[in-house]
Amino acid sequence: MQRTRICTGAALAAGALAVTGLAYAPTALAVTPTSATITANCGSFGGGAATLTATQNGTAATLTVNSSAITVPIAIGANSITSTLTMVKAGGGTVTFTGTRNPAMSAGSPVTVGPLNGTVVAGNRLEAFGGSLKMVVLGITITCTATGPQSPGPFVF
């Protein structure tokens, strides 16, 4: 009888620990859509179609920007572009994503920056239209803006 109580007690304790572990486990929420396209205008540096790719893990989010229509004029080393992506929140305000991550790019290569890091709140709806992407390359600031809403729609975190 005592052996049954010990086994039952151990099973209950293990179950309680498992439930507690689940309660404190970090939540990985899914952003939708995971990618969207925009048409960007970068002034005298060009413009065209760009793809934004989003990920989320709790309140931490990242955005990566890729564009085959916008190319680098000279070779750029890895992690040498300082980028600030400002996204507009539905209902007002902005969320900023920053970083210095980029692959090495040879002259004429498509531009890729990110993942850029930012903080989101559950329910945030973020849109590139009305925001901007500022990239500092070799001391030169390049500002790109979306010419219309992103497709298929805002990122929902």
Side-chain angles (χ1 to χ4, degrees):
M1 183 68 139
Q2 188 171 2
R3 182 180 288 174
T4 303
R5 278 191 228 158
I6 291 173
C7 289
T8 303
L12 287 173
L17 285 174
V19 169
T20 302
L22 287 174
Y24 288 105
T27 57
L29 303 173
V31 58
T32 57
T34 56
S35 67
T37 58
I38 61 168
T39 300
N41 178 352
C42 301
S44 60
F45 294 97
T51 301
L52 288 77
T53 305
T55 64
Q56 178 183 8
N57 187 0
T59 60
T62 64
L63 281 169
T64 301
V65 181
N66 295 297
S67 176
S68 58
I70 304 166
T71 58
V72 294
I74 61 171
I76 302 292
N79 304 321
S80 61
I81 301 174
T82 301
S83 301
T84 302
L85 175 63
T86 303
M87 301 287 285
V88 176
K89 284 195 306 187
T94 60
V95 175
T96 303
F97 294 82
T98 60
T100 56
R101 294 188 60 191
N102 63 274
M105 295 174 268
S106 57
S109 293
V111 169
T112 298
V113 294
L116 306 175
N117 300 312
T119 303
V120 295
V121 175
N124 274 162
R125 297 175 64 82
L126 302 181
E127 166 71 56
F129 187 52
S132 66
L133 171 63
K134 291 184 182 181
M135 299 174 284
V136 179
V137 182
L138 303 173
I140 299 169
T141 300
I142 303 164
T143 301
C144 300
T145 56
T147 60
Q150 66 192 43
S151 177
F155 293 112
V156 180
F157 292 89

